[in-house]
Amino acid sequence: MTKAKLSYGGKDYDLEVMEGTLGPKVLDVRKFYTDTNMFTFDPGYTSTASCESKITFIDGEKGILLYRGYPIEQLAEKSDFMEVCYLLMFGELPTREEKDQFVHDITYHTMVHEQITFFFRGFRRDAHPMAIMVGVVGALAAFYRDSADITDPHQRKIASYRLVAKMPTLAAMAHKYSTGQPFIYPRNDLSYAANFLHMTFSVPCEDYVVSPTLEKAMDLIFMLHADHEQNASTSTVRLAGSSLANPFACIAAGIACLWGPAHGGANEACLRMLGEIGTKKRIPEFIARAKDANDPFRLMGFGHRVYKNFDPRAKVMSKAAREVLDELGVDGHLFEVARELERIALEDDYFIEKKLYPNVDFYSGIILKAMGFPTEMFTVLFALARTVGWISQWGEMIADPVKKIGRPRQLYTGPGMRDYVSIDKR
Ligand code: ACO
């Protein structure tokens, strides 16, 4: 067993060095506080492995993303979202029979309790759909109490299936509610992606045929967003789950975290930014703003905590954007602005030095807009796709015999102990 040595205050401390299958070695500091009476300091957890996991691996320097060992590019080309869900949840690609059974089980959990429609009606029509999702997904715990016992592996599985199956239904309902159109029930003869498009875009008064191009693009977008190891929202799900809270509440916590523009909200922010830039001529002005330390503006869809190279998902997404725009014959104006922005930024010393590359959100907004989704739905789609990753990570944590409640410590820099001063003496 390899050990690292720390010398402090005339004493030597041994720290075990742990090794995973891939990725950097990890220093075991679990007994650090007991042994040394010191904490480690790591705001934003840039150097901290918060758990052991077998699900997803990222090499940010090389731009590699693996789901259970399989490169995302191969899955994007050869697999589909249902297979990826099975892979993330159970660790292996399914056999034909396993896949058929899984697709059947997910399909037959897509309907939501009818009373949930009343819950929806409590929201204002102009509510952001992410606000609705945070509320409604958390509220599933009130509707599905028969799968909220986390100590029972069968209930955990049913809750996981319910979440993956019902997210498209709830996401489509959030969209329908804001447009004032009636909710559309799921259809069991459609694929996961096609059913979501059907529930989002069809109306009861006419037939709606799901375009195979859009179905394929939707499935691809779901696959690319399915998991991304211990990002902010996944860590939030794990932290919420570490108190043994029910899975519906934990996923609602993940959705809340994903909402922010530094995380899942970036695709919405990126599209707004591209619209604001408007023409290729204005790109230098925005690049200059992004580089100005006194200007809070950042190029949305650029940079990543882990990737210091191309986000492999951005490459797949860029190709898919071109195909979708061509197929739909949609004006690719914003796509051209994005391509030019990417080209200029990648040649700029500031972005090169700071290793800022396009991330998955840079092109996803363009495709989603072309497909007809309003901007406010973008992060909802991310949450829908990421639910399988969240629930797989949650399931892994709950099944781990050495789980512990998450409880970070702090470096306290507030006032020392002082006596209370009565109000007339302040
Ligand atoms: N535009 C301009 N400068 C940037 C950008 C950007 N998009 N991103 C980082 N920088 C600069 C920072 O100003 C900082 O400069 P400094 O060292 O001179 O202070 C340096 O690069 C490092 O930035 P940090 O914020 O410290 O890096 P961190 O790893 O904490 O942040 C993050 C990563 C939040 C994604 C950041 O790059 C960002 O804000 N990007 C834009 C938002 C975005 O696209 N988010 C989506 C992330 S992917 C996802 O959630 C699916």
Side-chain angles (χ1 to χ4, degrees):
M1 190 184 300
T2 323
K3 293 206 189 270
K5 263 202 184 340
L6 171 86
S7 299
Y8 182 75
K11 275 193 178 172
D12 283 343
Y13 301 98
D14 281 339
L15 297 166
E16 194 188 319
V17 177
M18 300 167 78
E19 218 166 320
T21 331
L22 299 168
K25 292 181 178 141
V26 169
L27 214 51
D28 185 351
V29 294
R30 275 175 291 186
K31 296 205 192 91
F32 194 72
Y33 173 54
T34 337
D35 292 348
T36 66
N37 200 30
M38 280 191 285
F39 296 140
T40 54
F41 184 63
D42 187 19
Y45 314 117
T46 51
S47 297
T48 298
S50 63
C51 63
E52 191 185 317
S53 181
K54 295 181 168 48
I55 302 175
T56 294
F57 174 76
I58 303 172
D59 184 329
E61 295 298 328
K62 296 194 184 126
I64 291 173
L65 168 61
L66 311 176
Y67 291 165
R68 302 279 190 184
Y70 296 103
I72 190 67
E73 296 87 344
Q74 287 184 27
L75 293 168
E77 194 192 327
K78 299 177 181 160
S79 186
D80 58 58
F81 184 62
M82 277 295 97
E83 200 165 73
V84 162
C85 286
Y86 187 96
L87 176 68
L88 289 171
M89 280 175 154
F90 300 111
E92 294 298 338
L93 288 167
T95 60
R96 165 73 48 211
E97 292 73 37
E98 286 167 339
K99 185 172 176 191
D100 289 348
Q101 184 63 49
F102 182 71
V103 171
H104 174 274
D105 292 348
I106 294 295
T107 305
Y108 281 83
H109 276 295
T110 49
M111 271 200 335
V112 293
H113 195 292
E114 194 61 17
Q115 247 182 306
I116 290 179
T117 58
F118 300 114
F119 190 78
F120 264 90
R121 293 185 211 289
F123 288 101
R124 281 172 55 132
R125 286 274 172 207
D126 61 355
H128 194 291
M130 279 299 274
I132 296 182
M133 293 305 282
V134 172
V136 177
V137 174
L140 291 179
F143 291 93
Y144 300 104
R145 295 185 65 182
D146 59 341
S147 58
D149 177 1
I150 63 153
T151 61
D152 176 351
H154 180 68
Q155 289 199 34
R156 292 206 296 269
K157 186 170 138 181
I158 298 298
S160 305
Y161 280 22
R162 280 180 165 154
L163 276 155
V164 171
K166 292 180 200 309
M167 281 297 278
T169 315
L170 297 174
M173 286 170 84
H175 170 65
K176 285 294 185 197
Y177 189 71
S178 67
T179 58
Q181 291 179 2
F183 297 138
I184 303 290
Y185 288 106
R187 264 182 44 189
N188 290 352
D189 59 327
L190 296 176
S191 72
Y192 188 88
N195 181 43
F196 173 60
L197 292 169
H198 155 76
M199 291 187 291
T200 306
F201 295 119
S202 71
V203 286
C205 37
E206 61 184 35
D207 284 341
Y208 172 82
V209 181
V210 179
S211 142
T213 310
L214 297 198
E215 178 181 358
K216 192 164 162 269
M218 194 76 267
D219 198 74
L220 177 74
I221 290 170
F222 290 160
M223 270 194 277
L224 294 180
H225 287 86
D227 196 43
H228 214 227
E229 55 119 308
Q230 309 311 320
N231 56 84
S233 55
T234 304
S235 299
T236 302
V237 170
R238 279 189 179 256
L239 195 55
S242 77
S243 74
L244 309 184
N246 72 73
F248 304 106
C250 295
I251 301 301
I255 296 173
C257 178
L258 188 75
W259 194 356
H263 192 5
N267 51 15
E268 187 175 331
C270 179
L271 195 72
R272 286 192 211 286
M273 177 193 77
L274 291 173
E276 210 187 318
I277 296 175
T279 65
K280 290 185 188 175
K281 263 199 292 190
R282 292 192 69 199
I283 292 174
E285 178 195 326
F286 282 82
I287 296 267
R289 282 189 62 196
K291 288 158 60 174
D292 182 353
N294 298 317
D295 189 331
F297 174 78
R298 283 184 172 199
L299 273 196
M300 287 292 127
F302 257 79
H304 198 276
R305 169 59 62 78
V306 180
Y307 292 118
K308 302 303 167 198
N309 198 323
F310 261 97
D311 178 339
R313 302 166 301 171
K315 285 190 190 165
V316 179
M317 201 67 95
S318 157
K319 192 164 160 270
R322 180 77 280 165
E323 285 166 10
V324 168
L325 296 179
D326 285 350
E327 188 86 19
L328 294 177
V330 172
D331 166 33
H333 172 69
L334 283 186
F335 183 63
E336 295 312 324
V337 172
R339 290 272 293 255
E340 184 64 2
L341 180 62
E342 176 184 345
R343 191 189 64 75
I344 295 177
L346 291 179
E347 285 174 0
D348 191 293
D349 284 348
Y350 174 93
F351 292 88
I352 295 168
E353 266 165 35
K354 294 189 189 300
K355 298 187 177 172
L356 299 169
Y357 292 84
N359 58 49
V360 66
D361 291 322
F362 192 64
Y363 287 108
S364 63
I366 294 171
I367 309 191
L368 296 175
K369 182 175 155 54
M371 290 171 81
F373 288 102
T375 317
E376 289 200 331
M377 278 296 285
F378 293 0
T379 319
V380 173
L381 296 181
F382 192 158
L384 188 174
R386 183 56 59 83
T387 296
V388 67
W390 287 331
I391 207 66
S392 304
Q393 300 269 353
W394 171 84
E396 182 179 63
M397 181 187 70
I398 298 295
D400 187 344
V402 293
K403 63 180 167 295
K404 262 183 173 307
I405 187 165
R407 177 58 173 90
R409 305 304 293 261
Q410 61 174 5
L411 171 67
Y412 176 72
T413 53
M417 188 150 67
R418 48 186 174 165
D419 288 327
Y420 179 81
V421 180
S422 62
I423 198 159
D424 51 320
K425 295 212 175 104
R426 282 175 223 160

